[in-house]
Amino acid sequence: MSSSVSESNLIESESKRCSPLSNDALKNLNTRSTLKGLFQLSAHFAILGISGYLWGTNLGHNWLIAIPAVIVYGFGFAAMFAPMHESSHRTAFENNLLNDSVCWLAGVLSFYNGAFYRRYHKWHHRYAQDFDNDPELSDPLPQTLVGYLIMLSGMTWWWGKLKTHFRVATGQLEDYPYISEEARDGVIFAVRSQLALYGIAIAVSIIAHQPWFITYWVFPLMVGQPILRMILLSEHTGCTHDTNPLTNTRSTKTLFPLQFLMWNMPFHAEHHLYPSIPFHQLPAAHQQLREHFTYKDQGYVAVNYDFAKNLV
C-alpha cells in the first residue's frame, strides 16, 4: 500500500482552502491499493465477459435474455470510462505504469483516449464550472427537449469523439491548450495506436466475414452510452459556477450495481474536493463529508427528470 499519489496531489492544493478533513483523516483516506484496484478491474471484466457471452449466444433467438444482456454488456463498455478516469488520476493502483496502462486500455474499450483525457480532465478539476476554462463546458447543455434526447442518445458524443480522435491523430492540437508541448507527441502516439487497434479489429471482422466489430463492440457501446450520458450530465449540471467544490459538484445516491461499475464515481463531490482519495475510499469519505455538500441527490433519473422538465 502507498499513500503517495503523484498526479492528484497536483490538483489537491486547489481544494485545501475549504478542507473539512484534518490532515490525518485525509492521509488515511489517501491510501492506494493495487489489490483492490485489480479486484475491481477483474470484476468489471468478468461482468463484461458473462454479459457478452449471454448476448452472443442468445442473439437472434432468445431476446428475453439477449436484450437485458446487451444492456449490461453495453454499459460495461461505456462504464470503462470509470477505470480510465480513476487511472488518469493514478489512484486506481499503487504502480503508476499500471495506472497509465489501464487508463489507455479502458479508453480504448470506451472510445475515449486515456492520454488525451488525463490532460483534459486535469484542467476540468483545476477550472471546474469556470465557463472560460473548464473544457467540459465547451459542449453546451441542450436547450430543448429534443436536444436533450439527442444528447442522451450519444449521437453528439460519438460525433465529437470521431472529430477529436481525427484531429489529435493528425496533429491538430491548436484547440486543446491542456495538451502541453512536452505531452504532444505522446498523446498523438496514444491516439494513433488506439485507432490502429480499431483498424485491426475491423480488418479481422472483414476477413472472417463476420460482423464481430459491430456486434460485440460498436452496437453494445451505443446501447450503453445513454446511461453514461445521464450519469455525466448529473455531476455538475445545476450546481454553482464558482470555485467552491462544496457547491459546484453533485454526489448522487444510486443502485449498488451502477455504483460498482462506475467505481464509486457517484460520490463525485467527494472526489472533486479531494481528487487524491482512491475510488475504494470514497464511500468512507462520503460518511465524513456528506453534510458539507450542497447537492446530494436521490438518483440519476431524478436529476435528469428535473433537468428535462425545465426544457418543456
Side-chain angles (χ1 to χ4, degrees):
M1 296 238 192
S2 168
S3 60
S4 172
V5 186
S6 57
E7 187 68 18
S8 289
N9 281 344
L10 299 176
I11 305 168
E12 190 78 12
S13 59
E14 298 295 323
S15 60
K16 285 289 178 65
R17 47 192 157 76
C18 56
S19 174
L21 291 179
S22 67
N23 289 337
D24 287 342
L26 182 58
K27 182 178 179 181
N28 290 332
L29 290 170
N30 271 350
T31 305
R32 297 183 292 176
S33 171
T34 296
L35 183 62
K36 291 180 180 178
L38 289 175
F39 173 80
Q40 184 82 14
L41 186 65
S42 299
H44 199 139
F45 275 119
I47 292 168
L48 271 176
I50 294 169
S51 58
Y53 172 79
L54 292 173
W55 161 241
T57 55
N58 289 279
L59 175 62
H61 62 89
N62 190 345
W63 292 107
L64 289 177
I65 295 178
I67 290 175
V70 76
I71 293 172
V72 175
Y73 183 53
F75 181 63
F77 275 126
M80 274 290 160
F81 172 87
M84 179 197 68
H85 165 265
E86 188 71 24
S87 297
S88 76
H89 283 282
R90 292 179 169 166
T91 49
F93 313 98
E94 296 166 69
N95 182 281
N96 284 342
L97 178 59
L98 181 57
N99 277 309
D100 294 347
S101 300
V102 170
C103 184
W104 182 82
L105 176 61
V108 169
L109 295 175
S110 58
F111 202 44
Y112 284 83
N113 177 265
F116 178 91
Y117 178 81
R118 182 179 166 201
R119 280 80 184 180
Y120 167 100
H121 191 63
K122 184 177 178 181
W123 268 45
H124 165 61
H125 270 270
R126 181 175 292 169
Y127 302 113
Q129 293 290 83
D130 179 342
F131 280 115
D132 295 325
N133 294 295
D134 185 351
E136 284 198 1
L137 297 179
S138 62
D139 297 319
L141 289 172
Q143 300 300 308
T144 65
L145 185 59
V146 171
Y148 167 74
L149 294 175
I150 292 173
M151 182 278 297
L152 203 63
S153 74
M155 290 172 57
T156 52
W157 175 82
W158 282 99
W159 179 239
K161 282 288 164 284
L162 287 169
K163 288 194 300 182
T164 300
H165 290 338
F166 174 78
R167 288 178 61 83
V168 175
T170 54
Q172 302 176 60
L173 303 183
E174 298 80 11
D175 293 334
Y176 310 119
Y178 37 84
I179 307 296
S180 67
E181 194 63 34
E182 293 77 15
R184 176 187 174 92
D185 291 344
V187 172
I188 292 174
F189 175 78
V191 173
R192 287 176 178 174
S193 60
Q194 178 169 336
L195 296 180
L197 190 59
Y198 294 147
I200 292 170
I202 293 169
V204 169
S205 292
I206 292 173
I207 292 169
H209 301 288
Q210 296 289 339
W212 292 330
F213 186 73
I214 301 295
T215 303
Y216 290 103
W217 187 63
V218 174
F219 177 71
L221 185 56
M222 290 177 67
V223 171
Q225 197 57 225
I227 304 174
L228 183 62
R229 293 302 102 203
M230 290 181 68
I231 293 171
L232 298 185
L233 177 74
S234 303
E235 291 178 346
H236 298 281
T237 302
C239 300
T240 61
H241 285 276
D242 55 31
T243 59
N244 185 354
L246 301 178
T247 63
N248 68 14
T249 307
R250 173 184 288 106
S251 284
T252 307
K253 186 176 181 180
T254 190
L255 299 173
F256 173 76
L258 196 62
Q259 181 175 311
F260 184 82
L261 278 172
M262 288 304 295
W263 290 53
N264 287 327
M265 272 183 60
F267 298 116
H268 205 62
E270 292 81 357
H271 165 70
H272 257 262
L273 182 60
Y274 297 110
S276 61
I277 296 179
F279 73 96
H280 60 89
Q281 295 279 41
L282 286 174
H286 175 69
Q287 295 302 316
Q288 299 180 47
L289 293 167
R290 59 186 176 183
E291 299 305 320
H292 296 279
F293 297 119
T294 300
Y295 296 100
K296 299 162 287 186
D297 287 79
Q298 298 294 314
Y300 291 110
V301 172
V303 176
N304 277 260
Y305 174 75
D306 287 342
F307 175 77
K309 73 179 181 182
N310 292 322
L311 301 176
V312 177

